[in-house]
Amino acid sequence: MKPRLDPVLIFMATVLLLLAQGCAGPVREAAVPPTMTAQATIPGLEEVRYRIGIDNEAIERESIASLRRELAYLAASGHRGPLPPAAFLAISGGGDNGAFGTGLLNGWTAAGDRPEFKLVTGISTGALIAPFAFLGSAYDDQLKRLYTNISPADIVTRRPLLAALTNDALADNAPLWRLIEMEVDQALLDAIAREYEKGRLLVVGTVDLDARQAVLWNMTRIAASRDPKALPLFRSIMIASAAIPGAFPPVLIDVEVQGQPYQEMHVDGGTMSQVFVYPPKLNLKELGRQQGINRERRVYVIRNARLDPEWAQVERRTMSIAGRAISSLIHTQGIGDLYRIYLTTQRDGVDFNLAYVPASFNAPHPEDFDPDFMRALYHTGYEMAVRGFPWKKQPPGF
């Protein structure tokens, strides 16, 4: 969960930060040198993440390994005949609009036809929903509480603007850290680890800001590692995926290269993609042919945002114009992500299904994480799903 990206505030903060470059601020360990980026690992957890465009072979290996685990689990359970359909769920960013996705998921449970997902992915607020969505309806009440019973004070503590100039963000997200530490415990990790052994996958996206690279984290493999670092790393990745640069502090992750320690700076995965399912480089149809597997596949994309243009009168002021332009860029990026996913699924023969906040929803939104707004949005998603959600078969305007 994260507040909506306020472009005016971020733009203004960026200008002020540039003016304050000489001021002392928080320190960090050395970043990984550019020639060593691909070699950086977390000691003891060496194969739990994939850099888009670099680790294509590792992603393919994990896909094949997950299929083999699934086949072994089904055989041990007495399953005979063809493989059951594989359902994928992708949950986007969107701040407090995540209430829509949680309402939809819970309403889907009430409707009685919510599948068990082979793969669940999340970015930003979607990364905070994803572990609970992955574990299924037993966690519906927890999801509902997280997105209907919180207020801004449960997410951030705002810093004075002058203090923010010499720090790493405009706000302190210590309240969100405490919330995640309370909700994400060892029992939850153990439950996720059990699903990993069944061939299921949970993946969360962040961005390595130093290298300017998208990183996919295999959260199921982290949970199944039983490493003492697994729980704090799991929580850190969830927070990092929702850390808007400039608004929330980044998350520093300790890594090593050839025995030397370094730190990577990870931020909101939404800075590069609003939603993802799997990299287009991974051709599921071809991979299935190679493995002798023929099965039905469906992808469900929950976009925690409206996709229709939202009109607003723009003041003839620098901040207002710049802020509106950045908002437009983010909106357009989100639609572009949907096009990319759609084209990939069409190539691979995967059934595409899309949900997003309807244009008819216009509840008052006085501030980020306003409880009344979130409850209204949760109710909208829930009621639509209970009636049989009208999944869109193509992105808007395609």
Side-chain angles (χ1 to χ4, degrees), residues 269-345:
T271 59
M272 286 197 170
S273 178
Q274 296 295 311
V275 64
F276 72 98
V277 183
Y278 56 88
K281 186 72 173 177
L282 183 68
N283 189 319
L284 287 188
K285 178 182 284 188
E286 177 62 20
L287 191 62
R289 186 190 65 78
Q290 293 173 5
Q291 299 299 314
I293 297 297
N294 182 24
R295 75 189 308 181
E296 182 182 350
R297 297 182 179 90
R298 307 185 190 109
V299 62
Y300 298 91
V301 180
I302 299 177
R303 179 73 177 104
N304 289 305
R306 290 172 50 159
L307 295 185
D308 58 305
E310 293 185 70
W311 186 92
Q313 178 170 311
V314 182
E315 299 299 322
R316 194 174 177 181
R317 298 289 184 273
T318 301
M319 297 300 182
S320 181
I321 295 169
R324 181 68 170 173
I326 294 171
S327 292
S328 300
L329 181 63
I330 294 169
H331 176 83
T332 305
Q333 178 202 24
I335 295 176
D337 289 333
L338 298 178
Y339 282 17
R340 171 176 44 79
I341 292 171
Y342 177 73
L343 290 173
T344 302
T345 59

Side-chain angles (χ1 to χ4, degrees), residues 323-398:
R324 181 68 170 173
I326 294 171
S327 292
S328 300
L329 181 63
I330 294 169
H331 176 83
T332 305
Q333 178 202 24
I335 295 176
D337 289 333
L338 298 178
Y339 282 17
R340 171 176 44 79
I341 292 171
Y342 177 73
L343 290 173
T344 302
T345 59
Q346 296 309 290
R347 179 200 67 189
D348 293 348
V350 180
D351 181 49
F352 178 87
N353 299 273
L354 171 65
Y356 50 88
V357 178
S360 58
F361 180 78
N362 287 300
H365 197 180
E367 64 176 342
D368 291 322
F369 296 98
D370 174 71
D372 291 335
F373 170 82
M374 296 178 72
R375 288 169 191 149
L377 190 50
Y378 173 92
H379 181 75
T380 295
Y382 184 91
E383 289 300 318
M384 292 179 73
V386 164
R387 294 195 299 267
F389 197 85
W391 296 95
K392 305 299 181 183
K393 305 306 290 186
Q394 290 182 331
F398 186 83

Side-chain angles (χ1 to χ4, degrees), residues 19-325:
L19 295 174
Q21 286 183 21
C23 300
V27 297
R28 58 168 292 187
E29 299 297 329
V32 180
T35 57
M36 299 179 176
T37 297
Q39 303 171 43
T41 61
I42 299 169
L45 294 165
E46 284 80 8
E47 296 186 15
V48 299
R49 63 185 191 164
Y50 320 103
R51 292 181 180 273
I52 299 299
I54 294 178
D55 297 321
N56 297 322
E57 292 183 1
I59 293 173
E60 185 171 312
R61 283 197 304 272
E62 181 58 62
S63 300
I64 294 171
S66 73
L67 174 61
R68 290 174 178 166
R69 289 194 304 273
E70 181 185 8
L71 291 171
Y73 171 74
L74 290 172
S77 302
H79 177 82
R80 297 293 182 269
L83 279 173
F88 306 150
L89 175 67
I91 313 172
S92 83
D96 53 7
N97 280 329
F100 171 76
T102 58
L104 189 157
L105 287 166
N106 287 12
W108 202 351
T109 297
D113 58 350
R114 174 178 165 182
E116 179 179 81
F117 299 104
K118 166 74 172 176
L119 167 70
V120 176
T121 69
I123 276 185
S124 202
T125 200
L128 303 183
I129 297 171
F132 307 102
F134 177 79
L135 290 174
S137 58
Y139 289 78
D140 282 0
D141 289 344
Q142 199 166 347
L143 262 184
K144 181 179 180 180
R145 183 175 70 252
L146 283 171
Y147 279 85
T148 61
N149 289 346
I150 62 170
S151 66
D154 298 307
I155 306 299
V156 296
T157 301
R158 295 199 176 276
R159 292 168 172 161
L161 187 56
L162 291 179
L165 291 178
T166 57
N167 218 308
D168 55 4
L170 293 172
D172 181 358
N173 59 354
L176 180 58
W177 274 101
R178 289 193 292 270
L179 184 63
I180 294 301
E181 287 169 356
M182 181 174 62
E183 300 291 344
V184 178
D185 56 15
Q186 188 59 50
L188 184 136
L189 248 65
D190 292 342
I192 290 173
R194 289 192 290 271
E195 298 307 309
Y196 181 70
E197 297 305 320
K198 299 176 184 178
R200 301 179 63 213
L201 294 172
L202 169 65
V203 180
V204 164
T206 67
V207 167
D208 178 346
L209 201 57
D210 298 313
R212 197 183 285 178
Q213 283 185 335
V215 179
L216 303 184
W217 297 84
N218 188 337
M219 306 295 270
T220 26
R221 187 158 183 161
I222 292 172
S225 72
R226 312 295 182 181
D227 191 282
K229 297 186 294 294
L231 181 56
L233 178 63
F234 195 102
R235 292 167 173 166
S236 294
I237 294 164
M238 291 177 68
I239 296 291
S241 188
I244 309 170
F248 280 7
V251 174
L252 297 173
I253 295 180
D254 295 324
V255 297
E256 285 186 5
V257 179
Q258 300 173 2
Q260 294 299 311
Y262 297 96
Q263 275 188 333
E264 296 174 347
M265 180 179 287
H266 285 258
V267 298
D268 191 340
T271 59
M272 286 197 170
S273 178
Q274 296 295 311
V275 64
F276 72 98
V277 183
Y278 56 88
K281 186 72 173 177
L282 183 68
N283 189 319
L284 287 188
K285 178 182 284 188
E286 177 62 20
L287 191 62
R289 186 190 65 78
Q290 293 173 5
Q291 299 299 314
I293 297 297
N294 182 24
R295 75 189 308 181
E296 182 182 350
R297 297 182 179 90
R298 307 185 190 109
V299 62
Y300 298 91
V301 180
I302 299 177
R303 179 73 177 104
N304 289 305
R306 290 172 50 159
L307 295 185
D308 58 305
E310 293 185 70
W311 186 92
Q313 178 170 311
V314 182
E315 299 299 322
R316 194 174 177 181
R317 298 289 184 273
T318 301
M319 297 300 182
S320 181
I321 295 169
R324 181 68 170 173

